[in-house]
């Protein structure tokens, strides 16, 4: 995953509960990668566009 460029989510400013995603990877492949910004070498989620949109919707409604 070294070639993936991660970006902190704009919804991750609430007390250290941060996630990152890989927008360039998503644009290139349609695969939306999400990870915990506190565990850079840990596991990540691989989501479809529809699932990622659901995650963003959830974050907006609970933020």
């Amino acid at each position: 995953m070294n070639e993936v460029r991660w970006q902190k989510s704009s919804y991750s400013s609430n007390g250290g509960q941060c996630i990152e995603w890989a927008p360039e990877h998503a644009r290139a492949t349609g695969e939306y990668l999400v990870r915990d910004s506190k565990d850079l070498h840990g596991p990540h989620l691989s989501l479809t566009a529809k699932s990622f949109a659901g995650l963003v919707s959830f974050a907006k409604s609970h933020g």
Side-chain angles (χ1 to χ4, degrees), residues 38-57:
K38 295 179 299 303
D39 188 4
L40 302 182
H41 300 290
H44 66 270
L45 297 174
S46 175
L47 304 171
T48 64
K50 184 176 180 178
S51 296
F52 184 75
L55 177 64
V56 171
S57 178

